[in-house]
Amino acid sequence: MAAKRYHVTTFGCQMNEHDSERMKGMLDSLGYAEASERSEADLILFNTCSIRESADSRFIAHLGEAKRLKSEDPARVVGVGGCWAQSVKDEVFRRFPFVDVAFGPGQIHRLAEFLTSDSLSAQGYFEFEDFAGHLPMKRAREFQGWIQISQGCNCACSYCIVPSTRGREQSRDPDEVLAEVERLAADGVLEVTLLGQNVNSYGRDLALERRISFSELLARVDAVEGIERLRYTSPHPKDMKEDVVRAHAELRSLCQHIHLPLQSGSSAVLKRMRRTYDRRRYMDRVALIREHVPDCALTTDIIVGFPGETEEDFAETLEVAEEVGYDGAFTFVFSPRRGTEAAEMEGMLPHAVKRERMQRLVEVVQRRATERGQRFVGRTMEVLVEGPSRNDPARLRGRTRHNKTVNFDGTAAPGELVDVEITGATSTTLSGAERLLSRAL
Ligand code: 5AD
Ligand code: SF4
């Protein structure tokens, strides 16, 4: 009999991408093969996100196709995992009766359990038990790896569904994290990204004799031979302390990029968001970063149109975006998430207002990012080659330590670190040419 085939569609953040790699690795080890089209799969999986409404509706359309495929061949198995599944739990079976298995984020081992059991009825698995670090993994790129260092989040951001979908924060044992980094390095991985909902509060829940801080964890990962680039996401500004900032200046592998989610530039809005910092304290963090790592790239997340956001509040967000000059930003229109505090707040803004503010914000973000990008022009930068350029396959694409995508002329292979002379910059990408002789000089 031919091997059964699976198809996975992933929505949401890197944490989800990472979970999907584990899902695929696990399915491969169970003897499944990956199908390139959903219509060819015996097992149709969705790894869902619940951050944005648009992700939800996109996902519902995909689910509709799964329903049709299942009606054509009822032996097909449809599974839904991730944050959205967790947020609706068993309701998923009522709303979508053709779903066979549903599971929360990080519950991939339960999917295996379901597939290898003789269970005839639909099953839902929503309790976090353990890190999935021991599961096999199918990495999207051989030379890049993600490592989950914590699960859940203890913050109470009023707009965010994560605390309810991913639970209280649990840090992973440092020795376990290090063992995984060493395994990846031995496997040829050059770049690792430490993942968590709030990475820099890492360690606080660990037993005293095991406890290390986030900056200590960074130092230990940095010491692993073979790891050339170390990244992490996402940190919380409230936990961005001097030791972490200094690590960016001192550790060989830690990249010159910090993602520092702002959410709003207005202290009044930040308070209602329960972010526990205000505009001034955020700007202090930015100053601290600029002091220790002057060239560091800064990126952010910003929410537009939070309930009760006045024109003055929004003007403050624009001011901060202008003042910081982010190298890039993810901008979100506020969307109420069921069960969150903000969803019940007064002062919901009309869609047209949110859209108009978003346009103004994106304009500032893009203009500043383009301006900031000019500092790279004329420099020779180390680029980790990822593959052919998306727009022009005759060129190559890679990433600088500042996390900027570079499209360039060159001959290097994916996974190589090369020097690229930067000749141009837009708000999102750099362009240039490989310096072929630079290494020999
Ligand atoms: N509405 C809009 N954006 C949101 N985010 C989280 N929850 C919401 C919401 N309800 C954004 C935040 C976060 C990013 C991952 O998603 O900016 O940092
Ligand atoms: Fe990631 Fe949050 Fe979306 Fe879950 S809800 S997939 S944690 S972005």
Coordinates of all heavy atoms in Angstrom, one line a residue, residues 11-17 47-52 82-84 105 160-162 165-166 197, ligand 2:
F11 N -1.0 29.0 9.8 CA -1.3 30.4 10.0 C -0.5 30.9 11.2 O -0.1 30.1 12.0 CB -2.8 30.6 10.2 CG -3.7 30.0 9.1 CD1 -4.1 28.7 9.1 CD2 -4.0 30.8 8.0 CE1 -4.8 28.1 8.1 CE2 -4.8 30.3 7.0 CZ -5.2 28.9 7.1
G12 N -0.3 32.2 11.2 CA 0.2 32.8 12.5 C 1.7 32.9 12.5 O 2.4 33.1 11.5
C13 N 2.2 32.8 13.8 CA 3.5 33.3 14.1 C 4.6 32.2 13.9 O 4.3 31.1 13.5 CB 3.6 33.8 15.5 SG 3.2 32.4 16.7
Q14 N 5.8 32.5 14.2 CA 6.9 31.6 14.1 C 6.7 30.4 15.0 O 7.2 29.3 14.7 CB 8.2 32.3 14.4 CG 8.7 33.2 13.3 CD 9.9 33.9 13.6 OE1 10.3 34.1 14.8 NE2 10.7 34.4 12.6
M15 N 6.1 30.6 16.1 CA 5.9 29.5 17.0 C 5.0 28.5 16.3 O 5.3 27.3 16.5 CB 5.1 30.1 18.3 CG 5.0 29.1 19.4 SD 6.6 29.1 20.3 CE 6.1 30.1 21.7
N16 N 4.1 28.9 15.5 CA 3.2 28.0 14.8 C 4.0 27.3 13.7 O 3.8 26.1 13.4 CB 2.0 28.7 14.2 CG 0.8 28.5 15.1 OD1 0.9 28.2 16.3 ND2 -0.4 28.7 14.5
E17 N 4.8 28.1 13.0 CA 5.7 27.5 11.9 C 6.5 26.4 12.5 O 6.7 25.3 11.9 CB 6.6 28.6 11.3 CG 6.0 29.8 10.7 CD 5.6 29.5 9.3 OE1 5.9 28.5 8.7 OE2 4.8 30.4 8.7
N47 N -2.8 24.4 11.1 CA -2.3 24.9 12.3 C -2.7 26.4 12.4 O -2.2 27.2 11.6 CB -0.8 24.7 12.3 CG -0.2 24.8 13.7 OD1 -0.9 25.0 14.7 ND2 1.1 24.8 13.8
T48 N -3.6 26.7 13.3 CA -4.3 27.9 13.3 C -3.8 29.0 14.2 O -3.1 28.7 15.2 CB -5.8 27.7 13.6 OG1 -5.8 27.2 15.0 CG2 -6.4 26.7 12.7
C49 N -4.2 30.2 14.0 CA -3.8 31.4 14.8 C -5.1 32.1 15.1 O -6.1 32.1 14.4 CB -2.9 32.3 13.9 SG -2.6 33.9 14.5
S50 N -5.1 32.9 16.2 CA -6.3 33.6 16.5 C -6.0 35.1 16.8 O -6.8 35.8 17.4 CB -7.0 33.0 17.8 OG -6.0 32.8 18.8
I51 N -4.9 35.6 16.3 CA -4.5 37.0 16.5 C -5.4 37.9 15.7 O -5.9 38.9 16.2 CB -3.0 37.2 16.1 CG1 -2.2 36.7 17.3 CG2 -2.8 38.7 15.9 CD1 -2.3 37.5 18.6
R52 N -5.6 37.6 14.5 CA -6.3 38.5 13.6 C -7.6 37.9 13.0 O -7.6 36.7 12.7 CB -5.4 39.0 12.5 CG -4.5 40.1 12.9 CD -3.6 40.5 11.8 NE -2.6 39.4 11.6 CZ -1.7 39.5 10.7 NH1 -1.6 40.5 9.8 NH2 -0.8 38.5 10.5
G82 N -3.5 24.3 17.0 CA -3.0 25.7 17.2 C -4.0 26.6 18.0 O -4.9 26.1 18.7
C83 N -3.7 27.8 18.0 CA -4.3 28.8 19.0 C -5.8 29.0 18.7 O -6.6 29.1 19.7 CB -3.6 30.1 18.9 SG -1.9 30.0 19.5
W84 N -6.2 29.0 17.5 CA -7.7 29.2 17.3 C -8.4 28.0 17.8 O -9.5 28.1 18.4 CB -8.0 29.5 15.8 CG -9.4 29.6 15.5 CD1 -10.2 30.7 15.6 CD2 -10.3 28.5 15.0 NE1 -11.5 30.4 15.3 CE2 -11.6 29.1 14.9 CE3 -10.1 27.2 14.7 CZ2 -12.7 28.3 14.5 CZ3 -11.2 26.4 14.3 CH2 -12.5 27.0 14.2
P105 N -2.0 24.4 20.8 CA -0.6 24.6 20.4 C 0.3 23.7 21.2 O 0.1 23.5 22.4 CB -0.4 26.1 20.8 CG -1.6 26.6 21.5 CD -2.7 25.6 21.4
C160 N -5.2 40.6 24.1 CA -4.5 39.4 23.6 C -5.2 38.1 24.1 O -5.5 37.9 25.3 CB -3.1 39.4 24.0 SG -2.1 38.0 23.4
I161 N -5.3 37.2 23.2 CA -5.9 35.9 23.5 C -4.9 34.8 23.9 O -5.3 33.8 24.5 CB -6.7 35.4 22.2 CG1 -7.7 34.3 22.6 CG2 -5.7 34.9 21.1 CD1 -8.8 34.2 21.6
V162 N -3.6 35.2 23.8 CA -2.6 34.1 24.0 C -2.6 33.6 25.5 O -2.6 32.4 25.7 CB -1.2 34.7 23.7 CG1 -0.1 33.7 24.2 CG2 -1.1 34.8 22.2
T165 N -5.0 31.0 25.4 CA -4.8 29.8 24.5 C -3.6 29.1 24.9 O -3.5 27.8 24.7 CB -4.7 30.2 23.0 OG1 -3.6 31.1 22.9 CG2 -5.9 30.9 22.5
R166 N -2.6 29.7 25.4 CA -1.3 29.0 25.7 C -1.0 29.0 27.2 O 0.1 28.5 27.5 CB -0.1 29.7 24.9 CG -0.2 29.4 23.4 CD 1.0 29.8 22.6 NE 0.8 29.7 21.1 CZ 1.5 28.8 20.4 NH1 2.3 27.9 20.9 NH2 1.2 28.7 19.1
Q197 N 6.5 33.3 24.0 CA 5.5 34.4 23.9 C 6.1 35.6 24.5 O 5.8 36.7 24.1 CB 4.2 34.0 24.7 CG 3.0 33.9 23.8 CD 3.1 32.9 22.8 OE1 3.5 31.7 23.1 NE2 2.9 33.2 21.5
Ligands
SF4_2 FE1 1.1 32.7 17.3 FE2 -0.5 34.2 18.8 FE3 -1.3 33.4 16.5 FE4 -1.1 31.7 18.5 S1 -2.5 33.4 18.4 S2 -0.4 31.4 16.3 S3 0.7 32.4 19.5 S4 0.3 34.8 16.8

